[in-house]
Amino acid sequence: MKRDKATVPRQDEDPGAMKKRIIVLASGRGSNFQAILDALSKGSIQGTCVRLISDVPGCYATDRAKYSGVPVTVVDYRSFPSKETYEKALLFAMQECRPDLVVLAGYMRILGRDIVRSFHGKIMNIHPALLPSFPGLHAQRQAIGYGVKVAGCTVHFVDEMMDSGPIILQKCVPVLPDDDEDLLSERILHEEHRCYPYAVKLFCDGRLKIEGRIVRVL
Ligand code: GAR
């Protein structure tokens, strides 16, 4: 049947209907969040950021969300009597968004087991080191202290252990003789801002397949 221009597109013809629902969790400055927002607004990722969730009221990531018209939920860690009650509230806030993908962008807490299980294979993190080297806090400081000549960043799926899930992408940068933690962090961050939106794009295009520890890029 011929359909005129005024006809409302069917779900499967509506490009908006194909977009993945993305939520971002952030605790701080949010420069990776911004890199993803920029890629979304350029149309290079088939997705929509439906919400920013932060555990830190007033962090700069929440300002970035407001400037971009992304709704914000603050689940203030300090206002809960225990990690369990915080995690329960966080899980509820996440489930309400019905996300296809959860992006940790400088979210500085370890997600609890219930959350990781609820969104299995759908949570991504970026870490400023070439995992499995230097997990945890101050990865760049650890790299300088160890004397490595190459550092970098890793985008990975999140599992129940810290910084240990299947690796999606890694980028390396040199460690130069006069580097301090700030200089190295800046060089790595530059790569993070390229890597993370690309990993999100691959996910939204359905090009990431997890096979055990291995992530195949289709
Ligand atoms: C980034 O360097 C990110 O890799 C790191 O925190 C920074 C957040 O910066 N994340 C971790 O260390 C997680 N283990 P941003 O808030 O400007 O995106």
Side-chain angles (χ1 to χ4, degrees), residues 127 129 131-139 142 162-164:
H127 182 72
L131 292 170
S133 295
F134 313 127
L137 289 176
H138 306 298
Q142 293 183 56
M162 187 181 61
D163 298 330
S164 86

Side-chain angles (χ1 to χ4, degrees), residues 27-99:
S27 306
R29 164 183 68 177
S31 70
N32 278 292
F33 172 44
Q34 187 67 54
I36 291 164
L37 286 177
D38 293 346
L40 286 166
S41 73
K42 277 191 220 139
S44 29
I45 299 175
Q46 283 301 305
T48 312
C49 184
V50 295
R51 189 159 293 267
L52 173 81
I53 301 180
S54 181
D55 56 324
V56 178
C59 71
Y60 193 53
T62 61
D63 291 337
R64 293 184 193 270
K66 286 170 198 156
Y67 296 141
S68 299
V70 173
V72 176
T73 297
V74 176
V75 186
D76 181 359
Y77 183 82
R78 288 167 311 175
S79 72
F80 290 87
S82 64
K83 181 163 177 7
E84 288 67 36
T85 51
Y86 164 76
E87 287 273 326
K88 225 171 165 180
L90 178 60
L91 176 58
F92 182 74
M94 292 168 77
Q95 280 169 334
E96 266 198 327
C97 303
R98 295 177 289 104

Side-chain angles (χ1 to χ4, degrees), residues 164-186:
S164 86
I167 291 172
I168 301 165
L169 290 176
Q170 292 185 299
K171 280 282 173 198
C172 46
V173 301
V175 181
L176 302 178
D178 293 331
D179 274 352
D180 59 16
E181 188 180 351
D182 288 345
L183 277 171
L184 180 60
S185 299
E186 207 176 298

Side-chain angles (χ1 to χ4, degrees), residues 146-210:
Y146 201 88
V148 293
K149 304 297 185 206
V150 178
C153 60
T154 303
V155 183
H156 62 95
F157 283 110
V158 171
D159 65 11
E160 290 176 32
M161 316 265 280
M162 187 181 61
D163 298 330
S164 86
I167 291 172
I168 301 165
L169 290 176
Q170 292 185 299
K171 280 282 173 198
C172 46
V173 301
V175 181
L176 302 178
D178 293 331
D179 274 352
D180 59 16
E181 188 180 351
D182 288 345
L183 277 171
L184 180 60
S185 299
E186 207 176 298
R187 196 173 306 122
I188 295 173
L189 195 64
H190 181 74
E191 292 303 326
E192 291 185 44
H193 294 164
R194 292 149 50 105
C195 248
Y196 216 2
Y198 186 59
V200 172
K201 173 187 165 51
L202 289 173
F203 182 95
C204 292
D205 288 347
R207 292 181 57 198
L208 298 180
K209 188 163 179 238
I210 307 174

